[in-house]
Amino acid sequence: MTTDADQSAIDDLVSQVEAGERRLHELEDHVDSDTAAAARRQLVERFSGANCETIGSYGFPAESAEPNIENMIGTVQVPLGVVGPVNINGGALDDERYLPLATTEGALLASVNRGCSVINRAGGATARVTKSGMTRAPVFRVTDVAEALALVEWVREHGEDIQAAAEETTNHGELQDVTPYVVGNNVYLRFRYDTKDAMGMNMVTIATKAACDLVEAQTSASLVALSGNLCTDKKPAAINAVEGRGRSVTADVIIPHEVVESSLHTTPDAIAEINTRKNLIGSAKAGALGFNAHVANPVAAMFLATGQDEAQVVEGANAITTAEVTADGDLYFSVSLASLEVGTVGGGTKLPTQSEALDILGVRGGGDPAGANADALAEAIAVGSLAGELSLLAALGSRHLSSAHESLGR
Amino acid sequence: MTTDADQSAIDDLVSQVEAGERRLHELEDHVDSDTAAAARRQLVERFSGANCETIGSYGFPAESAEPNIENMIGTVQVPLGVVGPVNINGGALDDERYLPLATTEGALLASVNRGCSVINRAGGATARVTKSGMTRAPVFRVTDVAEALALVEWVREHGEDIQAAAEETTNHGELQDVTPYVVGNNVYLRFRYDTKDAMGMNMVTIATKAACDLVEAQTSASLVALSGNLCTDKKPAAINAVEGRGRSVTADVIIPHEVVESSLHTTPDAIAEINTRKNLIGSAKAGALGFNAHVANPVAAMFLATGQDEAQVVEGANAITTAEVTADGDLYFSVSLASLEVGTVGGGTKLPTQSEALDILGVRGGGDPAGANADALAEAIAVGSLAGELSLLAALGSRHLSSAHESLGR
Amino acid sequence: MTTDADQSAIDDLVSQVEAGERRLHELEDHVDSDTAAAARRQLVERFSGANCETIGSYGFPAESAEPNIENMIGTVQVPLGVVGPVNINGGALDDERYLPLATTEGALLASVNRGCSVINRAGGATARVTKSGMTRAPVFRVTDVAEALALVEWVREHGEDIQAAAEETTNHGELQDVTPYVVGNNVYLRFRYDTKDAMGMNMVTIATKAACDLVEAQTSASLVALSGNLCTDKKPAAINAVEGRGRSVTADVIIPHEVVESSLHTTPDAIAEINTRKNLIGSAKAGALGFNAHVANPVAAMFLATGQDEAQVVEGANAITTAEVTADGDLYFSVSLASLEVGTVGGGTKLPTQSEALDILGVRGGGDPAGANADALAEAIAVGSLAGELSLLAALGSRHLSSAHESLGR
Amino acid sequence: MTTDADQSAIDDLVSQVEAGERRLHELEDHVDSDTAAAARRQLVERFSGANCETIGSYGFPAESAEPNIENMIGTVQVPLGVVGPVNINGGALDDERYLPLATTEGALLASVNRGCSVINRAGGATARVTKSGMTRAPVFRVTDVAEALALVEWVREHGEDIQAAAEETTNHGELQDVTPYVVGNNVYLRFRYDTKDAMGMNMVTIATKAACDLVEAQTSASLVALSGNLCTDKKPAAINAVEGRGRSVTADVIIPHEVVESSLHTTPDAIAEINTRKNLIGSAKAGALGFNAHVANPVAAMFLATGQDEAQVVEGANAITTAEVTADGDLYFSVSLASLEVGTVGGGTKLPTQSEALDILGVRGGGDPAGANADALAEAIAVGSLAGELSLLAALGSRHLSSAHESLGR
């Protein structure tokens, strides 16, 4: 896509960088973003011997990606497909939707799609956000535990001041609560915010910084780090699995036993048994914080499709799958994701392909009321996860059954 | 990119699907992959009102992605950039390399790049794979614990038979060991394989299936599920953090205190203190399985760039960062990733943009000896993670320091 | 201690039980407690061939133990010793105290005593209860997540009614809050109470039962179990380590480096290094919820001495030890116990030897204000734990140092 | 029990200690153990105002407790009772036994006893030790990860030398394996031993010390601490729950549905449902390492009765309870304890009352073959735990059922 004129500018830049006269991330100061990316591709190709042709064949102006990356050389293109449409009876999203998934794992969409079909046959999945709040937990150093307790008490007494300081920095965010934790001379304050349709990490970081300034100004505590890891962002941690972060969301469905038998070729009993032995007891024995089969798969694929933060797939995997036979012999099946961090504004959601994927779901941008779009996205991902879990456990169940048949036939 | 001829074929397909005469995933049976994708886009656009133009503007033939997705409508394009080149003194990769990262999080590459500069100034990072092996853990049902113990003993006595059965299915994989776990009438057998340059999930699943057939044929145990969740794949689980899965890899560096001061504007002491209060004590209090700042960021970005399985970022976050002041007053800094599941053959690594990114690293395809390329990729990701951790902790340290200066100035 | 008259009564009882005419636990219906215990001893001796002489040589009337055991045959006698007196600067206990410890592990008291000496030389330990509340978490079954969310909202709206129902059952307990958790069609409500000087499990169980009756009467939820394991009682669980249960209590001390060197034969640096490599990084790698060396030792020994529930040693081990060198080169050392469940009234505290041990600490019975005695006991145990940690790490440090000296001498 | 002569000696000692002329732990150098204990009691009584009469009324000579405690003032007496006899079909213990439990928690023995009755009615419980080995994991410091990997390889190559060094220190212990773990410049080596009938902590500590001397002599690694917390002793840690420590032991039973109904007043279905909602899903949500109801209760009570280390109740709680309805409608019920650390020789097992309790079980001293007695003790504790779990879940089930009846009657 580069013209002759461009090519000469590119050659100049490449020479300058190789000569140490310019730095790799300064190219946008001199040329447009696409030219800068082309120059970097050429540099990288010469250094590594790689051919970066498809990386350079992206479908939108590079400047669209400026807030999202530095040192851009192009794009990675990940296959995107759809499953559904699936019927969602959610608190925020009550309709049929195609679900967009981007993945490199063959058979994933086929599996999720099968789950969606069965969900539809059962009348659709129910979904609800049961808890919500984005967190940030700075760590302060104090002299000793006497001072630590004094800080905890100060925080309890100055809730309104802290809230005012934090909320002054944001038009949308609302501070919900601050929970203190003491370990020796360390005090961690876990701030929890309603961030509406934003995933909200930037918003809560800025707001919490303002609150920390107040704490430091009025107490003897010293801020060590704006994140003291009790947030917890992008690390597997029980605090998220227990208390939630972002959205806690559950999707469930009751599937008539006839549908289980005809569509999934297994029985409610078999699925419940496999869920217990694998997802509950197996995960228990593994020391797990995730009691499910492969929730991370649809979560990662829908995160990637819709411009979410891929590193937050870590928390997205804190999910529990349950399966039981109802009094009527049908299958109750659910997935509860404790800490799904999603947004429909900001971050990667504005990128061209990602915003189109959000349009497919009908949840791009701010919701009405505020927060409704991110809730809807959370519900859609929960239903995608439900479909994925159902399909995988059913596959195990039908194999189990057929293998049982075989062995009976011997 | 679609021609007039295409458009008419597309219109036909769309009508047929809307009429319920064809199913969404069957379109490739009738037209080429690009046409099928275009038809699906049109269907989705009509259903949702979305415009999928950039999703459709991908830079390679859709059939390249056939093994990786079903119901393809195009690609998600994620900005890709590079950092470095960084000097890696690894066991498998001993050279300078640009590291490719794909992300939507602004400032990430700038941060990792800063870390790489400092690592270079310190003479480069050391990296080693300290343990290796991909696992799969089927669950069997037995009558009671007496039979469970009998199965455990049978497995211990028939190691060679099991190995022969498993390895018959694969040209590359080697069974390393089988570890049994008993919970009531459930027996979990954790198979661990050397899968060379493949991430290896498919390979080990097939091999383990063959071994399970042997177990079922020769004992009274009944296979419930090929994965009993003690593998553990794509869920946060202590078994991976403790025992490892895929590659266990560490990168470290000793940074002279002058470099810490001049380049990072902080001190070894400050970085060690922050690491202790945040990454060690904070994570301890959070009930974490990840004791680091944001290892998941470079892991996710390099996984995405190089065609790894994005859902395995979950295990990639099982990492511990350490920082200490040496006897000479310099900074020892390390990151140890317990369960990094990577490959340079198979899966998403063959996709056009992803394979180019592997070429940038010089690790595409099978290594020599086998496994060397995946080891090298693991080392590169560990060094990227080291750079990211270093940069973030240093930023906290310098802010801390400047804030300390301010308060002293008051 | 049994008279002739007793012996004949005993013989009769033994014959009757052996003949199946009486049951083992019914003996107290016919004879006094000591005679019943003697009869059971004789039965057990005849059945097993054991001689239960010392078991029968207890130092108080058996009826004192009636609320605490069934089928009593005597007592187990565990050696009891004291350490200290140690200087405690607590929020509830601000004085010198001998600490009573009952154990069968030789060297434990010597070690804790050494720690106490050093603490005294440093001017005493500071201790504070930073959080308090005994929990009980019933689990309810609902139809689906829509009903689950409705229950959560009902609970949020009926806080006062729930509190009234719960508190009607108790003179002392106060309901602090109720936190709901949803997993599929299960709703767990974690009730947290101030139980004053009682450990409080019975109190909160009864109060929570009353609250559950209200929930069942006014909603469609069905109580499955009064404890749904989110309490969490007597199981290792992150929810306790993170959120606390019973008392969260920290003890710390700043030890001048001269004292570390002269009394502990090591350095602040060495202790800090060992704490980091062992208690922080080692525990991190172990997937631990306890980041300490042997806090369970003093906790178990003081629990046993003072009539606490020995099974709650499990939660008592959820402790983090920190060690750092201060700006002045001294040693800051702390232990934070997240979930120490203690009481000075009820349960085993009324037993003769145990109540004497509480008197040694000066904390028997109800405190003034209510809760002060249990707070004081928590502080005393925290200081005992601090002494134990300090002594063990110092021993490692001095061995390390001497071993370093040796190797330098080579 | 003290004579006049004693009293004057006591008065002298008390004066000397109060004058600072003697130290509390030196009294045994001058008088016999009982007199020393009496003197300390008097000191403590004068200091605290407590009356230590029952503490002083112990049933054996104080010198029996000399290896087990320092600064002894008497004993704590904990009520001891028995349940059973219960029918155990174990690998090491295949007979009927009374189980001794020492506790201060009223109703515990009644509950366990009820469980035992039902187990007997079902023909007895099966029990097996499925894994065995006591561990100790020293931590070494190395320069960097290159040296860490070199150490790991050295260990792998010198297995026989390490074994020889370790086993030279012990007549009974056998080194089973050494597993290395690397975190930055820390290398943890987890040594696992067969310690026969000893719980074995002392044995493995001494043996591991000898092995560490070899490592330090032949490599550049430096020992930081003999325990690097990957053992893991007396802390809640996933490594024990996953890999086991001491004995991994399971007890299970199949209870005919008629027995469940007539004796427990509930149904197999109800018990299975409660186990799933409470012990599996509830514990999962709590971030637990223990998926049971109250296993720590019988474990603590039997540990206390038989002279085990009470602080190791922590690991004893790493247990999973399962319950399911069999194809015949009966109840399969199991408890699997991952890390039960028990011995029948050494430690507290030699104390007078404790050794009598071991005689009640018929497992005192060394077994034939070596290890058989400790295996038998583990099996007995597992069956006691099984009885406790069964009884508690059944109680919940019958309450649930009656409450269901009530609500149906309305």
Side-chain angles (χ1 to χ4, degrees):
Chain A
M1 291 194 201
T2 51
T3 65
D4 292 345
D6 288 334
Q7 191 54 50
S8 127
I10 289 170
D11 290 341
D12 285 353
L13 289 170
V14 167
S15 307
Q16 288 160 7
V17 174
E18 288 182 340
E21 292 161 12
R22 278 199 204 292
R23 298 169 72 181
L24 206 58
H25 64 269
E26 296 170 344
L27 308 190
E28 276 84 354
D29 298 348
H30 307 278
V31 294
D32 69 86
S33 301
D34 289 304
T35 308
R40 281 195 208 93
R41 272 198 304 283
Q42 190 164 314
L43 271 158
V44 167
E45 287 175 332
R46 283 162 66 147
F47 184 90
S48 66
N51 173 338
C52 295
E53 188 184 338
T54 58
I55 286 175
S57 302
Y58 43 90
F60 49 82
E63 68 182 357
S64 314
E66 281 215 336
N68 297 102
I69 198 150
E70 301 81 40
N71 283 359
M72 181 168 167
I73 63 169
T75 70
V76 156
Q77 302 188 27
V78 183
L80 175 71
V82 292
V83 300
V86 62
N87 195 344
I88 303 175
N89 313 312
L93 171 52
D94 190 10
D95 205 345
E96 282 193 309
R97 287 288 189 278
Y98 278 109
L99 307 182
L101 288 89
T103 186
T104 63
E105 182 176 350
L108 177 60
L109 275 90
S111 171
V112 178
N113 200 41
R114 186 170 80 131
C116 288
S117 300
V118 174
I119 288 170
N120 286 345
R121 234 158 284 155
T126 303
R128 289 294 184 281
V129 173
T130 60
K131 195 171 179 180
S132 189
M134 178 48 64
T135 56
R136 182 96 284 179
V139 51
F140 294 87
R141 183 182 52 202
V142 294
T143 306
D144 63 9
V145 66
E147 198 176 308
L149 183 57
L151 174 56
V152 168
E153 285 165 354
W154 185 91
V155 168
R156 285 185 187 139
E157 286 159 14
H158 292 78
E160 287 182 20
D161 299 344
I162 293 169
Q163 184 170 6
E167 293 185 356
E168 193 157 284
T169 65
T170 165
N171 290 324
H172 302 290
E174 292 171 15
L175 180 59
Q176 295 171 309
D177 48 54
V178 182
T179 310
Y181 301 87
V182 175
V183 184
N185 60 4
N186 302 286
V187 180
Y188 303 82
L189 300 178
R190 196 181 198 232
F191 288 74
R192 195 163 67 94
Y193 298 84
D194 180 352
T195 58
K196 311 299 181 190
D197 289 301
M199 183 270 281
M201 278 307 302
N202 284 345
M203 186 194 298
V204 308
T205 299
I206 293 165
T208 303
K209 178 67 175 67
C212 289
D213 290 345
L214 180 72
V215 172
E216 282 198 300
Q218 301 206 0
T219 75
S220 55
S222 169
L223 180 68
V224 175
L226 251 174
S227 162
N229 276 22
L230 275 152
C231 313
T232 299
D233 194 45
K234 304 181 180 175
K235 275 90 63 182
I239 200 169
N240 292 340
V242 174
E243 301 298 349
R245 188 168 196 254
R247 263 77 179 175
S248 299
V249 57
T250 294
D252 62 15
V253 63
I254 295 174
I255 308 176
H257 60 91
E258 305 87 355
V259 175
V260 174
E261 286 151 20
S262 65
S263 303
L264 295 172
H265 312 297
T266 183
T267 64
D269 260 317
I271 289 181
E273 178 187 350
I274 293 167
N275 192 66
T276 299
R277 294 187 189 277
K278 170 187 169 66
N279 286 344
L280 299 183
I281 300 176
S283 287
K285 184 63 184 171
L289 295 172
F291 293 73
N292 60 78
H294 71 140
V295 161
N297 271 333
V299 166
M302 292 184 73
F303 268 35
L304 198 44
T306 61
Q308 310 302 312
D309 192 326
E310 279 299 296
Q312 291 181 330
V313 171
V314 174
E315 295 94 307
N318 290 332
I320 303 177
T321 298
T322 78
E324 66 193 61
V325 183
T326 68
D328 299 331
D330 298 328
L331 176 68
Y332 172 83
F333 198 79
S334 80
V335 177
S336 298
L337 299 103
S339 42
L340 195 70
E341 297 144 347
V342 292
T344 58
V345 301
T349 65
K350 290 189 194 159
L351 283 164
T353 52
Q354 287 82 339
S355 64
E356 290 179 4
L358 286 167
D359 277 337
I360 292 176
L361 281 168
V363 299
R364 178 151 66 116
D368 179 19
N373 272 358
D375 281 349
L377 177 56
E379 292 174 348
I381 294 174
V383 172
S385 301
L386 186 76
E389 291 292 284
L390 182 60
S391 183
L392 193 148
L393 290 183
L396 291 170
S398 70
R399 219 174 297 155
H400 190 44
L401 211 65
S402 68
S403 135
H405 284 171
E406 275 169 40
S407 66
L408 288 172
R410 265 187 289 184
Chain B
M1 292 191 199
T2 52
T3 65
D4 292 347
D6 288 333
Q7 192 53 51
S8 128
I10 289 169
D11 290 342
D12 285 352
L13 290 171
V14 167
S15 308
Q16 289 160 6
V17 173
E18 288 181 342
E21 294 161 13
R22 279 197 205 291
R23 299 169 70 180
L24 206 58
H25 64 270
E26 296 169 344
L27 308 190
E28 277 84 354
D29 299 347
H30 307 277
V31 295
D32 69 87
S33 301
D34 289 303
T35 309
R40 283 196 206 90
R41 273 199 304 283
Q42 189 164 314
L43 273 158
V44 167
E45 286 174 333
R46 284 161 65 147
F47 184 90
S48 66
N51 173 339
C52 296
E53 187 184 341
T54 57
I55 286 174
S57 303
Y58 42 91
F60 51 82
E63 67 181 357
S64 313
E66 282 215 334
N68 298 102
I69 197 148
E70 300 80 42
N71 284 359
M72 181 167 167
I73 62 169
T75 70
V76 157
Q77 301 188 29
V78 184
L80 175 70
V82 291
V83 300
V86 62
N87 195 344
I88 302 175
N89 313 312
L93 172 51
D94 190 10
D95 206 345
E96 283 193 310
R97 286 288 189 279
Y98 278 108
L99 306 183
L101 287 86
T103 187
T104 63
E105 182 176 350
L108 177 60
L109 275 90
S111 170
V112 177
N113 201 38
R114 185 170 81 131
C116 288
S117 301
V118 174
I119 287 170
N120 286 345
R121 232 160 284 153
T126 303
R128 289 292 184 282
V129 173
T130 60
K131 195 172 179 181
S132 188
M134 177 50 63
T135 56
R136 182 93 286 178
V139 52
F140 294 87
R141 183 181 54 201
V142 292
T143 306
D144 62 10
V145 66
E147 197 176 310
L149 182 57
L151 175 55
V152 167
E153 285 166 355
W154 185 91
V155 168
R156 284 185 187 140
E157 286 159 14
H158 292 76
E160 289 184 18
D161 299 345
I162 293 169
Q163 184 170 5
E167 294 185 357
E168 195 158 283
T169 66
T170 164
N171 289 323
H172 302 291
E174 293 171 14
L175 180 60
Q176 296 171 310
D177 48 54
V178 182
T179 310
Y181 300 88
V182 175
V183 184
N185 60 4
N186 302 286
V187 179
Y188 303 81
L189 300 178
R190 195 181 200 231
F191 289 73
R192 195 164 67 94
Y193 297 84
D194 179 352
T195 58
K196 312 297 180 191
D197 289 300
M199 183 271 279
M201 279 307 300
N202 283 344
M203 186 193 300
V204 309
T205 299
I206 293 166
T208 302
K209 177 69 174 66
C212 290
D213 289 345
L214 180 72
V215 171
E216 284 198 299
Q218 300 206 359
T219 76
S220 55
S222 170
L223 180 68
V224 175
L226 251 174
S227 162
N229 275 22
L230 276 152
C231 314
T232 299
D233 196 46
K234 304 181 180 175
K235 275 87 66 182
I239 200 170
N240 291 341
V242 173
E243 301 299 347
R245 190 170 195 251
R247 262 77 179 177
S248 298
V249 57
T250 294
D252 62 15
V253 63
I254 295 175
I255 308 176
H257 62 90
E258 305 87 354
V259 175
V260 175
E261 285 152 19
S262 64
S263 302
L264 296 173
H265 312 296
T266 182
T267 62
D269 261 317
I271 288 181
E273 179 186 350
I274 293 166
N275 192 66
T276 300
R277 294 188 190 277
K278 169 187 171 64
N279 286 345
L280 298 183
I281 300 175
S283 287
K285 184 64 183 169
L289 294 172
F291 293 73
N292 61 78
H294 71 141
V295 160
N297 271 334
V299 166
M302 292 183 74
F303 267 35
L304 198 44
T306 61
Q308 309 303 311
D309 192 325
E310 279 300 296
Q312 292 182 329
V313 171
V314 174
E315 295 95 305
N318 288 333
I320 303 178
T321 299
T322 78
E324 66 193 60
V325 183
T326 68
D328 299 330
D330 299 328
L331 175 68
Y332 172 83
F333 197 79
S334 80
V335 177
S336 298
L337 299 103
S339 42
L340 195 70
E341 296 145 347
V342 291
T344 58
V345 300
T349 64
K350 289 189 194 160
L351 284 164
T353 51
Q354 288 83 339
S355 64
E356 290 178 4
L358 286 167
D359 277 336
I360 293 176
L361 281 168
V363 299
R364 177 151 66 116
D368 178 20
N373 272 359
D375 281 348
L377 176 57
E379 291 175 349
I381 294 174
V383 171
S385 301
L386 185 77
E389 291 293 283
L390 181 60
S391 183
L392 193 149
L393 289 184
L396 291 170
S398 72
R399 217 174 299 154
H400 191 43
L401 210 67
S402 68
S403 137
H405 284 172
E406 276 171 38
S407 66
L408 287 172
R410 267 188 287 187
Chain C
M1 292 195 201
T2 53
T3 67
D4 292 345
D6 288 333
Q7 190 56 49
S8 128
I10 289 170
D11 291 341
D12 285 353
L13 290 171
V14 167
S15 307
Q16 289 161 6
V17 174
E18 288 182 341
E21 293 161 11
R22 279 199 204 291
R23 297 169 73 181
L24 206 58
H25 64 268
E26 297 169 343
L27 308 189
E28 276 84 354
D29 298 349
H30 308 278
V31 294
D32 68 86
S33 301
D34 288 304
T35 309
R40 280 194 209 94
R41 273 199 304 284
Q42 190 164 312
L43 271 157
V44 167
E45 288 175 332
R46 284 161 66 146
F47 185 89
S48 66
N51 173 339
C52 296
E53 190 185 337
T54 57
I55 285 173
S57 302
Y58 43 89
F60 51 80
E63 67 182 358
S64 314
E66 282 215 334
N68 297 103
I69 197 149
E70 301 80 41
N71 284 359
M72 180 167 167
I73 63 169
T75 69
V76 156
Q77 302 188 29
V78 183
L80 175 70
V82 291
V83 299
V86 63
N87 196 344
I88 302 176
N89 313 313
L93 172 51
D94 190 9
D95 206 345
E96 282 192 310
R97 286 288 189 278
Y98 278 108
L99 307 182
L101 287 88
T103 187
T104 62
E105 182 176 350
L108 177 60
L109 275 90
S111 169
V112 177
N113 200 40
R114 186 170 80 130
C116 289
S117 300
V118 174
I119 287 170
N120 286 345
R121 232 159 284 154
T126 303
R128 289 293 184 281
V129 173
T130 60
K131 193 171 181 181
S132 190
M134 178 50 63
T135 56
R136 182 95 287 177
V139 52
F140 294 87
R141 184 182 50 202
V142 293
T143 306
D144 63 9
V145 66
E147 197 177 310
L149 182 58
L151 174 56
V152 167
E153 285 165 356
W154 185 91
V155 168
R156 285 187 187 137
E157 285 159 16
H158 292 78
E160 288 182 20
D161 299 345
I162 293 170
Q163 184 171 7
E167 294 186 355
E168 194 157 285
T169 65
T170 166
N171 289 323
H172 302 290
E174 292 171 15
L175 180 59
Q176 296 171 310
D177 48 54
V178 182
T179 310
Y181 301 88
V182 175
V183 185
N185 60 3
N186 303 285
V187 179
Y188 303 82
L189 300 178
R190 196 181 198 232
F191 288 75
R192 196 164 67 94
Y193 297 85
D194 180 352
T195 58
K196 311 298 179 189
D197 289 301
M199 182 272 279
M201 279 307 302
N202 284 344
M203 186 193 298
V204 308
T205 300
I206 293 165
T208 303
K209 178 67 175 68
C212 289
D213 289 346
L214 181 71
V215 171
E216 283 197 301
Q218 300 206 0
T219 75
S220 55
S222 169
L223 181 68
V224 175
L226 252 173
S227 161
N229 276 22
L230 276 152
C231 314
T232 299
D233 195 45
K234 305 182 180 175
K235 273 90 63 182
I239 199 170
N240 291 339
V242 173
E243 301 298 349
R245 188 167 194 256
R247 263 76 180 177
S248 299
V249 57
T250 295
D252 62 14
V253 62
I254 295 174
I255 307 176
H257 60 90
E258 304 87 354
V259 175
V260 175
E261 285 152 19
S262 65
S263 302
L264 295 172
H265 312 298
T266 182
T267 62
D269 261 317
I271 288 180
E273 178 187 350
I274 293 166
N275 192 67
T276 299
R277 293 187 190 278
K278 170 186 170 65
N279 286 344
L280 299 183
I281 300 175
S283 286
K285 183 63 183 170
L289 295 172
F291 293 72
N292 60 78
H294 71 140
V295 161
N297 272 333
V299 166
M302 293 183 73
F303 268 35
L304 198 44
T306 61
Q308 309 303 311
D309 192 327
E310 279 300 297
Q312 291 181 330
V313 171
V314 173
E315 295 93 307
N318 289 333
I320 302 177
T321 298
T322 77
E324 65 192 62
V325 184
T326 68
D328 299 330
D330 298 328
L331 176 68
Y332 172 83
F333 197 79
S334 80
V335 177
S336 298
L337 300 102
S339 43
L340 195 70
E341 297 144 348
V342 292
T344 58
V345 301
T349 65
K350 290 189 194 159
L351 284 164
T353 52
Q354 288 82 340
S355 65
E356 290 179 6
L358 285 167
D359 277 338
I360 292 176
L361 281 168
V363 299
R364 178 150 66 116
D368 179 19
N373 272 358
D375 281 349
L377 177 56
E379 292 174 349
I381 294 174
V383 171
S385 301
L386 186 76
E389 290 292 285
L390 181 60
S391 183
L392 193 148
L393 290 184
L396 291 170
S398 71
R399 218 173 299 154
H400 191 44
L401 211 65
S402 69
S403 135
H405 284 172
E406 276 170 40
S407 67
L408 288 171
R410 266 185 287 184
Chain D
M1 293 194 200
T2 52
T3 66
D4 293 346
D6 289 333
Q7 191 54 52
S8 126
I10 289 169
D11 290 342
D12 286 354
L13 289 171
V14 167
S15 308
Q16 289 160 7
V17 173
E18 289 182 340
E21 293 161 12
R22 278 198 206 291
R23 299 168 71 180
L24 206 58
H25 63 270
E26 295 169 345
L27 307 190
E28 276 84 354
D29 299 347
H30 307 278
V31 295
D32 68 87
S33 301
D34 289 303
T35 309
R40 282 195 206 92
R41 274 198 303 283
Q42 190 165 312
L43 272 158
V44 167
E45 286 174 333
R46 284 162 65 147
F47 185 91
S48 66
N51 173 339
C52 295
E53 188 185 338
T54 56
I55 286 174
S57 302
Y58 42 90
F60 51 80
E63 67 181 359
S64 313
E66 282 215 333
N68 298 102
I69 196 148
E70 300 81 42
N71 285 356
M72 180 167 167
I73 63 170
T75 69
V76 157
Q77 301 187 28
V78 183
L80 175 71
V82 291
V83 299
V86 63
N87 195 346
I88 302 175
N89 313 312
L93 172 51
D94 190 10
D95 206 344
E96 282 193 309
R97 287 286 189 278
Y98 278 108
L99 307 183
L101 287 88
T103 186
T104 63
E105 181 176 350
L108 177 59
L109 275 90
S111 170
V112 177
N113 201 39
R114 185 170 80 131
C116 288
S117 301
V118 174
I119 287 170
N120 286 344
R121 232 159 285 154
T126 303
R128 288 292 184 283
V129 173
T130 59
K131 195 172 180 182
S132 189
M134 178 49 63
T135 56
R136 182 93 286 177
V139 52
F140 294 88
R141 182 182 53 201
V142 292
T143 306
D144 62 9
V145 67
E147 197 175 312
L149 183 57
L151 175 56
V152 167
E153 285 166 354
W154 185 91
V155 168
R156 284 184 187 141
E157 285 159 14
H158 292 78
E160 288 184 18
D161 299 345
I162 293 170
Q163 184 170 6
E167 294 186 357
E168 194 158 284
T169 66
T170 165
N171 289 322
H172 302 290
E174 292 171 16
L175 180 59
Q176 297 171 309
D177 48 54
V178 183
T179 310
Y181 300 88
V182 175
V183 184
N185 59 4
N186 302 286
V187 179
Y188 303 81
L189 300 178
R190 196 181 199 231
F191 288 74
R192 194 163 68 94
Y193 298 85
D194 180 353
T195 59
K196 312 296 180 190
D197 289 301
M199 183 271 278
M201 279 307 302
N202 284 344
M203 185 193 300
V204 309
T205 300
I206 292 165
T208 303
K209 177 70 174 66
C212 290
D213 289 345
L214 180 72
V215 171
E216 282 197 300
Q218 300 205 359
T219 75
S220 54
S222 169
L223 180 68
V224 175
L226 252 173
S227 162
N229 276 22
L230 275 152
C231 313
T232 298
D233 196 45
K234 303 179 180 177
K235 275 89 65 182
I239 199 169
N240 291 340
V242 174
E243 301 298 349
R245 190 169 193 254
R247 262 78 179 176
S248 298
V249 58
T250 294
D252 62 16
V253 63
I254 295 174
I255 308 176
H257 61 90
E258 305 87 355
V259 175
V260 174
E261 285 152 20
S262 64
S263 303
L264 296 173
H265 312 296
T266 182
T267 62
D269 261 317
I271 289 182
E273 179 187 350
I274 293 166
N275 192 67
T276 299
R277 295 188 189 276
K278 170 187 170 64
N279 286 345
L280 299 183
I281 300 175
S283 287
K285 185 62 184 171
L289 295 172
F291 293 72
N292 60 79
H294 71 141
V295 161
N297 272 334
V299 166
M302 293 183 74
F303 268 35
L304 198 44
T306 60
Q308 308 304 310
D309 192 325
E310 279 299 298
Q312 292 182 330
V313 172
V314 174
E315 295 94 307
N318 290 333
I320 303 177
T321 298
T322 77
E324 65 192 60
V325 184
T326 69
D328 299 329
D330 299 327
L331 176 67
Y332 172 83
F333 197 78
S334 80
V335 177
S336 297
L337 300 103
S339 43
L340 194 70
E341 296 144 349
V342 292
T344 58
V345 300
T349 64
K350 289 189 194 159
L351 284 164
T353 51
Q354 288 82 339
S355 64
E356 290 178 4
L358 286 167
D359 277 338
I360 292 175
L361 281 169
V363 300
R364 177 153 66 116
D368 179 19
N373 273 358
D375 281 348
L377 177 56
E379 292 174 349
I381 294 174
V383 171
S385 301
L386 185 77
E389 291 293 284
L390 181 60
S391 183
L392 194 149
L393 290 184
L396 291 170
S398 71
R399 217 173 298 154
H400 190 44
L401 211 65
S402 68
S403 136
H405 285 171
E406 277 169 39
S407 66
L408 287 172
R410 266 187 287 186

